[in-house]
Amino acid sequence: MMRDEISLEGNRVRLIPASHEHLEGLFKASNHSDIWTYSPSSISKLEDLEDTMDQWMKSKEQGLRYPFVIFDKSTSEIVGSTSYLDISLLNRKLEIGGTWLDPKVWRTSVNTECKYLLLKYGFEDLNLIRVQFRTDTRNERSNLAIQRIGAQFEGTLRQEMIVREGYIRDSNVYSILDKEWELVKAKLLDYLRTE
């Protein structure tokens, strides 16, 4: 279980532990229907986000999730959220997911730097041996972003979850192993120098 509060900071973003005090900024960043096209849930009103935050806090107390707020240092605004999920420190593995971003920072260094900070902390501080990612098979942007950072495609979980409006989702699974981290790290740092 992750007992310490984790804050991670790069040149462009700061990842801070999510809490109810961030609701207003998160809601402003989440108020774009494009974000939720392939998401298992959606946030269309403040009550949706309050319920989501309550779920995050319960999962955090159980040691299963560690949610972050993404703070864009260049604009001093919250621009989204990401999480460590399915945490198993006993098996030295977790998933990075639950990531969503305000469309105004799509195709910028924000997501790249978030992934770099989360992976670096995971492999270098938590001593993980595996980090995985899952995404809807239909979500081309997300699949390409995960492949771009060097995660290896492992396969498709068929009919993995039922999402909004009863759609039965297939999910692609990707992973990065500890022995692959140095190559992935170099690739991410190269992207961050040029983005």
Side-chain angles (χ1 to χ4, degrees), residues 2 6 8 15 56 59-60 63-68 81-89 93-99 114-126 128 131-132:
M2 293 189 201
I6 304 166
L8 306 172
L15 300 179
W56 288 355
S59 293
K60 185 177 180 180
L64 301 173
R65 183 182 194 124
Y66 198 97
F68 294 93
S81 180
T82 191
S83 293
Y84 284 141
L85 304 167
D86 297 329
I87 299 164
S88 175
L89 295 183
K93 67 176 186 169
L94 53 71
E95 181 174 317
I96 294 173
T99 304
C114 286
K115 294 301 184 283
Y116 169 74
L117 293 170
L118 292 166
L119 288 163
K120 184 177 190 300
Y121 187 81
F123 286 117
E124 298 180 12
D125 292 270
L126 296 176
L128 300 176
V131 173
Q132 82 170 23

Side-chain angles (χ1 to χ4, degrees), residues 42-86:
S42 74
I43 294 170
S44 59
K45 52 189 187 296
L46 189 57
E47 292 77 22
D48 296 336
L49 186 56
E50 289 169 348
D51 290 345
T52 296
M53 184 67 72
D54 289 343
Q55 290 169 13
W56 288 355
M57 294 302 106
K58 283 181 192 157
S59 293
K60 185 177 180 180
E61 286 169 22
Q62 296 167 343
L64 301 173
R65 183 182 194 124
Y66 198 97
F68 294 93
V69 167
I70 303 167
F71 183 81
D72 186 345
K73 292 163 60 174
S74 70
T75 59
S76 298
E77 291 180 304
I78 290 171
V79 292
S81 180
T82 191
S83 293
Y84 284 141
L85 304 167
D86 297 329

